[in-house]
Amino acid sequence: MATATTVDSPVRKRTWRGLPLVKQVRQSVGLQRGMLVAGLVLTGVFVLTAVFAPLLAPYEYDQLRDANGPFGSQARPSGNHLLGTTVGGYDVLSRVIWGTRTALAVIVIAVLLSVVAGVLLGLVSGYFGGWLDRLLVVVCDAVYAFPSLLLAIVVAIAISGGQSSLIGGVLAAAISITVVFIPQYFRVVRAETVRIKSEAFVESARVIGASNWRIMARHVLRNATRTLPLILTLNASEAILTLAGLGFLGFGIQPTSAAEWGYDLKQSIADVSSGIWWTSIFPGVAIVLTVLGLTLVGESLNDLADPRLRSRRAAADGPPPAGTVEPGGAVVATDIAVGGVWGG
């Protein structure tokens, strides 16, 4: 019992190091760490800007005038308008800042709906099998075969007629993106469920009389969803591009209802040939930096799931301290009896 206490105490003292993302940053080395930190910084700036948009934006997203009069159309960057104004007379900086809030809302709703629907369908399909499994696989493969943007356009038109208010537009974009993402979560969870349901601990739970739903909720779900954070971050960046694509093609949110980067890019197409660069470059940079940050985080987490990176860290930093739990689940038993480690 004393040996078990000796093994557990270092873990309690370093609990903060096991927090999500903190643990991954510590595991990464060299260029990999730089990419992960850069992605976290860009993603953090995006999230903070969306949360504090009312405080950061000098004007409202649909504001056309102030105490001095109308803003004017296509005004160059100046002290009053740091990034200039658009062809519609909106302040570019304010539209870019408010656009982060629209993008974040779509990401959160789309990813949550996709995860809930995809995980539930994947668990049911993989665990029970049979005709339901074959039907769901065929349907998800059919959906997955469609181009994502084309499918999102069709769903957006069916839901909102192409354009709508803030709530309707966000829900239309989120639901259309959800339809595209569900097959990805379904495939991953189904494959893991098929593998896990034949494991010994699942068979033991079934033998002692646990119901199928209890086994799925308490034993299969946790083990089948370990890789979902990797897919989630990559899908978040794809959601930004899909939302911008919908707005660029004219199936997004009305400019008087919310700020949306894709719509602003569409309105600035004619400005580029006239030498008016500020109406297009800043919404485009916002899209690029946000997608880049989310992609760097997703790709870095995906790479850190590779066991070879653990050997790279071991070579760079030396052997980990005794009692440390490695990412793969192995416990380092240096200077401690192996029986005591596993007994704790």
Side-chain angles (χ1 to χ4, degrees):
M1 195 68 183
T3 306
T5 304
T6 304
V7 175
D8 291 340
S9 55
V11 178
R12 295 194 190 98
K13 292 180 180 179
R14 301 189 305 171
T15 301
W16 65 272
R17 298 187 178 185
L19 293 175
L21 298 180
V22 175
K23 179 180 178 181
Q24 280 71 23
V25 171
R26 292 184 62 248
Q27 290 175 352
S28 59
V29 292
L31 180 61
Q32 186 68 56
R33 174 173 291 181
M35 293 173 58
L36 179 56
V37 171
L40 290 175
V41 169
L42 291 174
T43 304
V45 170
F46 164 68
V47 174
L48 291 177
T49 302
V51 172
F52 297 104
L55 301 177
L56 297 175
Y59 306 101
E60 295 293 329
Y61 58 83
D62 58 348
Q63 188 171 342
L64 296 173
R65 58 186 303 126
D66 56 12
N68 298 323
F71 291 158
S73 175
Q74 300 172 327
R76 299 185 66 87
S78 62
N80 294 329
H81 304 283
L82 297 179
L83 303 184
T85 62
T86 67
V87 64
Y90 301 108
D91 181 69
V92 173
L93 177 59
S94 300
R95 295 281 298 178
V96 170
I97 293 176
W98 283 103
T100 59
R101 175 164 287 194
T102 304
L104 182 61
V106 171
I107 288 176
V108 171
I109 297 174
V111 170
L112 285 178
L113 291 177
S114 302
V115 169
V116 172
V119 169
L120 179 61
L121 293 176
L123 279 174
V124 173
S125 178
Y127 189 85
F128 292 105
W131 66 268
L132 180 62
D133 177 45
R134 292 192 294 270
L135 177 62
L136 291 176
V137 168
V138 170
V139 171
C140 287
D141 285 346
V143 173
Y144 200 76
F146 279 93
S148 59
L149 183 58
L150 178 60
L151 183 61
I153 291 173
V154 173
V155 176
I157 294 175
I159 293 175
S160 64
Q163 291 186 345
S164 61
S165 62
L166 172 60
I167 298 178
V170 168
L171 289 178
I175 293 174
S176 63
I177 295 171
T178 297
V179 175
V180 177
F181 287 170
I182 285 177
Q184 301 180 29
Y185 295 99
F186 170 82
R187 284 183 168 188
V188 173
V189 175
R190 176 187 175 275
E192 287 296 304
T193 302
V194 170
R195 179 184 64 83
I196 293 170
K197 72 177 184 179
S198 60
E199 295 289 340
F201 64 89
V202 175
E203 294 293 337
S204 300
R206 189 178 293 113
V207 168
I208 63 176
S211 63
N212 289 328
W213 294 107
R214 182 177 178 84
I215 294 174
M216 291 168 60
R218 295 182 60 88
H219 301 289
V220 180
L221 178 62
R222 179 182 299 180
N223 293 281
T225 57
R226 290 182 176 179
T227 59
L228 291 190
L230 310 179
I231 307 175
L232 186 148
T233 52
L234 296 176
N235 281 353
S237 62
E238 188 177 346
I240 293 287
L241 294 177
T242 303
L243 175 64
L246 289 173
F248 187 82
L249 296 174
F251 300 101
I253 303 169
Q254 294 282 4
T256 56
S257 300
E260 201 277 304
W261 295 331
Y263 177 87
D264 292 342
L265 281 177
K266 175 192 175 185
Q267 297 300 108
S268 65
I269 292 178
D271 298 343
V272 177
S273 59
S274 303
I276 304 174
W277 50 270
W278 58 87
T279 58
S280 60
I281 190 171
F282 295 112
V285 169
I287 294 174
V288 171
L289 292 181
T290 303
V291 173
L292 177 63
L294 293 169
T295 302
L296 286 176
V297 173
E299 292 293 344
S300 298
L301 294 178
N302 189 37
D303 290 344
L304 287 176
D306 190 341
R308 291 174 295 181
L309 291 178
R310 293 198 292 272
S311 62
R312 287 177 52 194
R313 178 170 176 79
D317 298 343
T324 301
V325 180
E326 289 296 302
V331 179
V332 179
T334 307
D335 299 331
I336 302 178
V338 176
V341 172
W342 293 106

